[in-house]
């Protein structure tokens, strides 16, 4: 029986067989939280119905919530904003959005932090061929 199942009042027979569907790199961590009794009762009833243990259902629900949240555009924008404002470090960003997205944010942040190049406009080329046209932004066509 694993540590997570030991927290439960009953021995979970399926624990060793399914090992909570964790990979070899997943180290279980005990967490404690308060929950309304009716939710725990419903969770236990669902676990009994599917012949699973409470921990498996909780881990599955947490995993799905995290995946759904991490995929949302609002979440991605919040992570980027907090990273650009130095409220999140790179390792935290990597955990939240994945290595590829975190690296993209790192490159964009570096680009944003760079000073703009102080280049004068070229004066030897007339890109408008002498006929520049201006547009009034308020003009509706």
């Amino acid at each position: 029986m694993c540590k997570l199942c030991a927290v439960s009042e009953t021995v979970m027979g399926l624990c060793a067989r399914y090992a909570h569907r964790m990979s070899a790199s997943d180290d279980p961590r005990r967490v404690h939280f308060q929950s309304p009794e009716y939710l725990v009762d419903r969770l236990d009833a669902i676990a009994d119905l599917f012949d699973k243990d409470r921990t498996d259902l909780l881990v599955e629900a947490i995993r799905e919530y995290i995946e759904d949240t991490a995929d949302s555009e609002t979440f991605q924008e919040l992570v980027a904003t907090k990273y650009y404002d130095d409220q999140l470090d790179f390792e935290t960003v990597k955990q939240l959005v994945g290595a590829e997205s975190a690296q993209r944010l790192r490159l964009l942040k570096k680009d944003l932090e760079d000073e703009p190049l102080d280049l004068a406009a070229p004066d030897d080329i007339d890109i408008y061929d002498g006929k520049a046209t201006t547009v009034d932004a308020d003009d509706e066509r």
Side-chain angles (χ1 to χ4, degrees):
M1 179 170 61
C2 78
K3 293 177 189 175
L4 294 172
C5 289
V7 174
S8 177
E9 294 174 359
T10 59
V11 175
M12 303 296 173
L14 297 176
C15 175
R17 193 163 125 209
Y18 291 106
H20 302 287
R21 285 184 257 169
M22 293 182 184
S23 70
S25 65
D26 289 340
D27 292 328
R29 177 190 270 176
R30 180 179 297 194
V31 295
H32 177 80
F33 61 92
Q34 299 292 322
S35 176
E37 189 174 347
Y38 77 93
L39 287 178
V40 176
D41 291 342
R42 287 185 73 188
L43 181 64
D44 287 342
I46 293 169
D48 288 342
L49 182 67
F50 288 110
D51 198 26
K52 292 184 174 186
D53 69 53
R54 179 191 306 158
T55 300
D56 284 342
L57 293 179
L58 286 171
V59 169
E60 184 177 325
I62 291 168
R63 185 177 290 127
E64 287 179 15
Y65 174 81
I66 289 171
E67 287 173 2
D68 289 347
T69 300
D71 287 342
S72 82
E73 189 173 323
T74 303
F75 179 79
Q76 298 274 337
E77 289 173 3
L78 180 62
V79 170
T81 299
K82 289 194 176 277
Y83 179 60
Y84 295 149
D85 291 341
D86 294 323
Q87 295 176 15
L88 292 175
D89 64 22
F90 179 73
E91 289 303 316
T92 302
V93 172
K94 199 160 67 169
Q95 287 180 333
L96 293 171
V97 297
E100 185 177 331
S101 293
Q103 186 62 28
R104 190 175 313 111
L105 291 175
R106 176 191 268 176
L107 292 171
L108 289 171
K109 181 179 180 181
K110 179 68 175 152
D111 192 37
L112 290 171
E113 291 172 347
D114 282 343
E115 292 295 321
L117 298 174
D118 188 20
L119 298 175
D123 51 352
D124 60 337
I125 299 173
D126 185 6
I127 60 171
Y128 297 109
D129 194 27
K131 301 174 189 170
T133 304
T134 58
V135 177
D136 184 7
D138 296 328
D139 185 24
E140 291 184 30
R141 293 180 189 217

